[in-house]
Amino acid sequence: MIWGFVILLIAGICQGSFGLGFKKYSPFSWAAFWMIYNILCIVVTVSVAWALAPQLWTVAFTKSEYWIIPLLCGALWGLSAIGFSKAITKIGMSMVYGISMGISTVVGSILPMLFFSSIPSGASAVFFAVGLIFTLVGVAVITVAGVKRDGAVKSSAAGIILAVLSGLGSGAMNVGFSYSSIGEVFESLGYSQAAISSGKWLPVLVGGCIMGVIWCIGELFVRREWNTVISKGSALQTSKQFVVCIIWYAALLLYGLSTVMLGETGSIIGWILFNSLALVISVGWGLKTGEWNNKPKSLLFVGCAIMIVAWVFTALV
C-alpha cells in the first residue's frame, strides 16, 4: 500500500503543476489553444491505452456499458474543464484550484462511495469524515485568502462561478472513472495495472476532450479566429501544449494506478488526497509565479497547514 501512496504523491504533483500551461496561450486565441490541447489529449490518451493494451479495440466496443456512463461523465467534465481554463486567466491558479478542487473532492469521493456501497465503517468512517471536513475547511481558507488577495469578490465573480462549475465536472470525472468496467476486462486478460488505469480513463477522457473540441470549433467560427491556429509562433506553442498534455495525463494515469494499489476504497480516499495535494502544489506555483507578490499570505499558509492535517486523517482510512 505504501507504494500506492508514493505514486499518488507523484500524481498530485503533476496535477498541481499542469495548470501552469494554461496561464498564457498567445499567439492562439483561447478557443484555438483549447481545441489543439484537447486534440493532443485525445491522441495521448488513445495511444497510451492502445500501447498498454493491444486488444483495446476488440474489447472496448463489445458492450455499451463499458462506455455510456463514463462517456457521459466525461462529457460533463469536458464542459467544466473549459471553465477551469478560463478561470485561471481571471483569478489565478491558487484560487481556481482552491474552489475547483474543494468541490471536486466532495463530489468525486462521496458519489462513488454511495453508488458502489463502499462506505467506510468503524474507525475508518471517523477518519474519513474528519479528513473530508478538514479538507473542506482548508479549501475554504485558501479560497478566502484568494479573495482577499484580489481585493474584492465582485471583480472575480465570473472566475469564481467558472471555478465552481469546474469542480462539479471534475467530481463527475472520478464517478466515470470509478464506474468504468473496461479495467475489469483488462484485468481478466492479464494486463498490467497501468493498462487497467488507462482503460478505465479512456472513455471518460475521450468524451470530455471531444466535448471541448466541439465547443472550441463553434467559438472559432463565431469569433472568426481561425487565423490564430496557423499564426507565427503557433508551432512552438503547440509543442508546449504537448508537454502540458503529457503531465496532465501522467497525473490521471498515476492516480488510477494508485487506486488499484490502495484497495477497495482507493478511488475514494485517493481522490481526496489527489485533489488536496494538487491544491497545495498549485499554491506553491502561484507563489513562485508572483500571483501573491506584495499580498497577505498568512491565511494561505494556514489553509495549506489544514490540508496537511486532512491528509493524515484520510491516509488512516
Side-chain angles (χ1 to χ4, degrees):
M1 180 175 286
I2 185 65
W3 283 109
F5 284 114
V6 171
I7 292 174
L8 188 61
L9 171 65
I10 300 172
I13 292 173
C14 292
Q15 180 72 359
S17 302
F18 83 91
L20 284 169
F22 295 166
K23 291 176 72 67
K24 297 179 181 179
Y25 43 82
S26 177
F28 295 134
S29 66
W30 175 86
F33 172 91
W34 197 242
M35 180 186 72
I36 293 172
Y37 177 75
N38 276 273
I39 291 173
L40 290 173
C41 288
I42 292 173
V43 172
V44 169
T45 299
V46 174
S47 298
V48 172
W50 198 356
L52 293 174
Q55 292 175 276
L56 171 66
W57 302 118
T58 58
V59 171
F61 297 105
T62 55
K63 292 184 179 180
S64 61
E65 67 187 60
Y66 296 157
W67 284 88
I68 301 301
I69 299 299
L71 199 66
L72 291 174
C73 289
L76 181 58
W77 159 72
L79 288 174
S80 70
I82 294 170
F84 178 86
S85 174
K86 291 193 173 186
I88 285 180
T89 63
K90 293 180 180 295
I91 58 176
M93 279 183 66
S94 303
M95 198 168 172
V96 172
Y97 269 90
I99 298 172
S100 178
M101 295 302 179
I103 295 173
S104 172
T105 297
V106 175
V107 175
S109 61
I110 298 296
L111 290 184
M113 185 173 66
L114 296 177
F115 287 165
F116 306 111
S117 300
S118 52
I119 301 174
S121 58
S124 293
V126 175
F127 290 140
F128 174 80
V130 173
L132 186 58
I133 290 171
F134 269 101
T135 297
L136 295 178
V137 172
V139 167
V141 172
I142 291 174
T143 302
V144 170
V147 172
K148 287 182 175 296
R149 179 202 67 189
D150 293 338
V153 177
K154 189 173 183 179
S155 63
S156 302
I160 292 174
I161 292 172
L162 290 173
V164 169
L165 295 176
S166 169
L168 292 172
S170 182
M173 184 190 206
N174 193 48
V175 174
F177 172 81
S178 302
Y179 193 90
S180 179
S181 54
I182 294 180
E184 297 174 5
V185 179
F186 282 6
E187 184 176 12
S188 68
L189 294 172
Y191 282 128
S192 67
Q193 292 178 330
I196 294 171
S197 175
S198 69
K200 293 183 70 174
W201 276 125
L202 184 65
V204 181
L205 301 185
V206 170
C209 290
I210 288 175
M211 186 63 69
V213 171
I214 293 173
W215 178 285
C216 291
I217 289 176
E219 188 164 320
L220 285 170
F221 273 114
V222 171
R223 296 179 180 273
R224 299 179 181 179
E225 295 173 338
W226 284 101
N227 62 306
T228 68
V229 176
I230 55 174
S231 59
K232 184 178 180 181
S234 60
L236 177 60
Q237 180 63 275
T238 299
S239 65
K240 292 179 180 178
Q241 286 177 275
F242 183 71
V243 173
V244 174
C245 174
I246 294 297
I247 296 172
W248 165 80
Y249 185 72
L252 295 175
L253 186 67
L254 291 173
Y255 160 73
L257 180 58
S258 71
T259 63
V260 176
M261 302 176 73
L262 291 174
E264 293 182 1
T265 58
S267 62
I268 298 172
I269 64 173
W271 189 249
I272 296 174
L273 293 172
F274 179 60
N275 282 283
S276 300
L277 179 59
L279 173 58
V280 173
I281 294 298
S282 72
V283 166
W285 281 119
L287 292 169
K288 177 70 174 177
T289 57
E291 290 183 3
W292 294 85
N293 286 352
N294 302 316
K295 302 291 184 179
K297 305 180 184 68
S298 56
L299 273 179
L300 185 68
F301 295 138
V302 169
C304 288
I306 294 173
M307 297 295 281
I308 293 172
V309 174
W311 299 344
V312 174
F313 280 99
T314 306
L316 292 173
V317 174

